Amino acid sequence: MYHHYVWNIVNNWNIVNIVCGCFVPKDYYEPVIPPATSVCVGSSVSDPVNVISGVPQGSVLGPLLFVLYLNDLDCSPPVCLPKYADDSKLYNIINDALDQLALSNAIADHEVWCNKWQLPISINKCNVMHLGSKNQRLPYSICNHNLESVPIIKDLGVILSEDLKVAQHCSAIVKAARTRAIMISRCFLSRDVSNLVWAFKVYVRPILEYASPVWSPHLLKDIDLIESVQRRFTKFLPGMRGKSYKERLGILQLPTLELRRLQIDLVLTYALLHNLHDVDYSRYFSVRGCGRTRGHPFKLRVNLCKTDCRKYFYCNRVTNVWNQLPSEVVTAPSLKSFKKLLCDTDLSRFLGR
């Protein structure tokens, strides 16, 4: 990330003037990026060296400058270009040769932009995934390199397959969570139940719940597979042998992982509908309001789905549950109060187990 390129972008966005609240002459703020940098370790300071690119690791300014640096990276419809940090994806619905040409041109424009702004593309991390049973699996290339077609890819920590099933992701996170749970059992000298449960909540459960609205399973085999991590961990806690899973959860005051995923879905829905996230909720939901005699003002329209993939996608699987929540829960004044009311709401009838 070359400094003079970054500074041109900062000037174009007029960031310094916005922050300062007034016009600032260019000569005043241009020396903010020093011509030379030294490294300080304790009381020792290295000789100054000219640094023309990059920012110190762990700095607050670095991520902001990088986001600004990538802001100009874009493409023309119908191709879409979602970006996250230094990760970007291009996708399009391919119905004919023109759609393929549009995607190929977008890839070429992507390559030109990266060369211009001196951000080399990591070709070995570039792949193409074809979705749909009738997909023609057309070839694509970047930097004179044919992109490999892959059936599985890991994107931002979530394993995606071309059939859009979540079984492989569930297997991967269960394997990682079981390893972490075994480490807790072996490494903690204390056999205090409250400490072990706390460690499970902190170190194991986040692995099983990361980005769960994206991949939350609906098949019982996947639900049981994920639940087996908590089932096994609680079984070997002191004083828990001989008790059923339901009894153990009651004693330890733990909800099932399936219930937790449903609650996470509902919390996200509340946040979207109340504009707590900078996301247009109309992309996922259509609010139809309530009837004359019953319901709440945030009722959602039920979409017709032809495939299980669409039926059990987040915005569709959560609709029925959300519409049946009590009005006092949905209209909670804050996210914190919504979570509290939601924990007191019986959601057992919406669970597969």
Side-chain angles (χ1 to χ4, degrees):
M1 194 162 65
Y2 279 77
H3 290 166
H4 65 278
Y5 284 172
V6 176
W7 201 248
N8 287 336
I9 295 174
V10 170
N11 287 339
N12 292 336
W13 279 84
N14 200 28
I15 290 177
V16 176
N17 290 339
I18 294 174
V19 172
C20 295
C22 60
F23 176 76
V24 180
K26 180 179 178 182
D27 294 339
Y28 178 78
Y29 59 79
E30 192 162 12
V32 168
I33 299 179
T37 302
S38 300
V39 177
C40 179
V41 179
S43 58
S44 302
V45 181
S46 69
D47 296 330
V49 177
N50 290 330
V51 178
I52 63 172
S53 65
V55 292
Q57 293 295 318
S59 66
V60 176
L61 187 61
L64 174 61
L65 291 177
F66 191 78
V67 170
L68 293 175
Y69 201 74
L70 292 180
N71 189 71
D72 292 334
L73 179 59
D74 204 353
C75 65
S76 302
V79 181
C80 297
L81 174 61
K83 295 171 287 187
Y84 183 83
D86 61 345
D87 196 68
S88 62
K89 290 167 284 292
L90 290 162
Y91 66 89
N92 190 22
I93 299 175
I94 308 299
N95 293 318
D96 51 37
L98 292 178
D99 294 329
Q100 183 202 11
L101 180 61
L103 183 55
S104 298
N105 290 338
I107 295 174
D109 293 341
H110 197 90
E111 178 183 347
V112 171
W113 187 94
C114 291
N115 291 333
K116 176 183 177 181
W117 292 96
Q118 299 179 346
L119 283 177
I121 297 175
S122 182
I123 299 178
N124 59 333
K125 295 182 180 179
C126 297
N127 301 105
V128 59
M129 176 179 283
H130 301 282
L131 304 178
S133 57
K134 298 181 180 179
N135 196 298
Q136 301 179 24
R137 299 183 174 274
L138 300 171
Y140 298 93
S141 62
I142 189 169
C143 300
N144 298 321
H145 176 82
N146 291 329
L147 293 175
E148 178 185 4
S149 177
V150 295
I152 302 171
I153 197 167
K154 189 173 185 179
D155 183 32
L156 300 179
V158 178
I159 298 176
L160 304 173
S161 61
E162 59 184 2
D163 57 5
L164 298 180
K165 294 182 179 180
V166 299
Q168 297 189 60
H169 179 73
C170 292
S171 299
I173 61 174
V174 165
K175 181 179 179 180
R178 283 176 177 170
T179 302
R180 188 73 59 84
I182 292 173
M183 291 176 61
I184 291 175
S185 300
R186 292 179 178 178
C187 298
F188 275 61
L189 297 178
S190 171
R191 304 313 297 168
D192 181 74
V193 173
S194 60
N195 287 339
L196 293 173
V197 171
W198 173 85
F200 180 85
K201 292 179 179 179
V202 173
Y203 297 111
V204 179
R205 207 160 62 179
I207 298 176
L208 300 170
E209 294 177 349
Y210 170 74
S212 63
V214 177
W215 57 264
S216 185
H218 67 277
L219 296 179
L220 293 181
K221 67 179 184 67
D222 295 327
I223 295 174
D224 291 341
L225 179 63
I226 297 175
E227 203 71 41
S228 67
V229 179
Q230 183 168 269
R231 186 188 302 271
R232 183 178 179 85
F233 183 83
T234 57
K235 182 178 180 180
F236 292 101
L237 291 175
M240 295 298 156
R241 285 189 178 274
K243 294 181 172 58
S244 67
Y245 182 48
K246 186 176 181 179
E247 291 174 336
R248 298 197 298 271
L249 293 182
I251 296 172
L252 301 171
Q253 297 183 345
L254 286 173
T256 63
L257 296 177
E258 182 185 8
L259 175 59
R260 294 249 327 157
R261 291 194 299 275
L262 178 58
Q263 291 173 339
I264 292 172
D265 283 351
L266 294 171
V267 168
L268 177 59
T269 304
Y270 177 92
L272 289 175
L273 294 178
H274 288 78
N275 299 314
L276 300 182
H277 293 321
D278 188 19
V279 177
D280 183 10
Y281 71 80
S282 62
R283 296 173 54 191
Y284 306 99
F285 305 112
S286 176
V287 179
R288 64 179 177 88
C290 61
R292 294 183 178 179
T293 58
R294 60 182 180 179
H296 54 74
F298 291 99
K299 276 198 170 184
L300 305 175
R301 295 188 185 278
V302 179
N303 298 319
L304 297 178
C305 307
K306 297 181 180 180
T307 62
D308 285 348
C309 175
R310 172 58 64 178
K311 179 180 178 180
Y312 294 105
F313 182 62
Y314 156 69
C315 59
N316 292 316
R317 69 170 180 264
V318 78
T319 300
N320 183 47
V321 185
W322 176 264
N323 287 344
Q324 296 188 49
L325 288 178
S327 179
E328 61 271 16
V329 177
V330 174
T331 57
S334 66
L335 184 61
K336 183 178 180 179
S337 59
F338 174 79
K339 290 181 179 179
K340 185 179 184 303
L341 292 171
L342 187 63
C343 290
D344 297 334
T345 304
D346 182 17
L347 300 174
S348 58
R349 66 185 184 276
F350 302 112
L351 303 178
R353 288 296 188 190

